[in-house]
Amino acid sequence: MTSLSETMTNNPYTDSLIRAGVPEQYHSRFARNGLGGLAEKLGIVFETMGPDLMVAKFPVEGNEQPFGLLHGGAHLVLAETLGSVASGLAGGEGKQPMGVDINATHQRAASSGWVTGTCTPIHVGRTLCIHEVVMTDDAGRRLSTARITNLLVDRR
């Protein structure tokens, strides 16, 4: 069994996980691939991380589409990151989430500030997890609502 300090020493992603706000007890879960390059490029930072509640934010600046508004795909990246991480934590050490469906409805545009995503489970089973992710602006106004479904498969 590898201790937490050994995992952190051997984990090439430790610095990026710390910058992203990932609690130390979860670092071993991300030792293979980190959070993924896209989450880091968007600037996603976790505020709460657990299988029952996941909250993260990212800046609008740098993530706009050509007309100066937050890119709709950025909403989906945040939703998929939150839903997949929550599914992976719910599934346990031997399971890996595989996204099978994601959809979003955009309610409002954003052109500045931060977007916060709050991810809550709709269904968590042995092989299937469904999460809702609500994204809001700095004023707490809903920007979009997403639903993501992950299949839990044995980790390879």
Side-chain angles (χ1 to χ4, degrees):
M1 183 89 175
T2 306
S3 72
L4 181 57
S5 62
E6 289 174 317
T7 299
M8 288 182 66
T9 302
N10 297 328
N11 187 343
Y13 300 102
T14 297
D15 289 341
S16 66
L17 294 172
I18 290 170
R19 280 192 305 275
V22 176
E24 287 183 18
Q25 75 258 28
Y26 295 125
H27 283 205
S28 64
R29 298 299 303 270
F30 303 101
R32 285 175 137 176
N33 301 307
L35 287 172
L38 189 53
E40 191 168 345
K41 286 177 187 170
L42 255 62
I44 294 175
V45 178
F46 288 87
E47 296 180 337
T48 303
M49 182 178 277
D52 296 324
L53 178 65
M54 189 85 51
V55 180
K57 64 182 184 176
F58 71 95
V60 172
E61 184 177 342
N63 296 310
E64 305 96 343
Q65 38 92 313
F67 304 103
L69 301 175
L70 177 65
H71 196 293
H75 288 263
L76 288 167
V77 171
L78 180 61
E80 183 155 346
T81 300
L82 290 170
S84 294
V85 171
S87 294
L89 294 179
E93 195 71 40
K95 295 291 184 177
Q96 171 179 319
M98 300 282 294
V100 295
D101 183 59
I102 187 167
N103 63 71
T105 301
H106 304 294
Q107 286 91 18
R108 172 186 292 279
S111 58
S112 64
W114 288 77
V115 174
T116 300
T118 302
C119 175
T120 54
I122 295 172
H123 170 80
V124 176
R126 288 177 295 149
T127 58
L128 197 67
C129 294
I130 304 168
H131 289 85
E132 179 182 64
V133 182
V134 174
M135 282 143 286
T136 57
D137 64 13
D138 290 329
R141 296 175 297 198
R142 188 180 292 232
L143 300 174
S144 65
T145 307
R147 189 182 73 195
I148 178 169
T149 304
N150 280 286
L151 181 65
L152 295 174
V153 299
D154 291 332
R155 182 170 254 191
R156 299 172 196 204

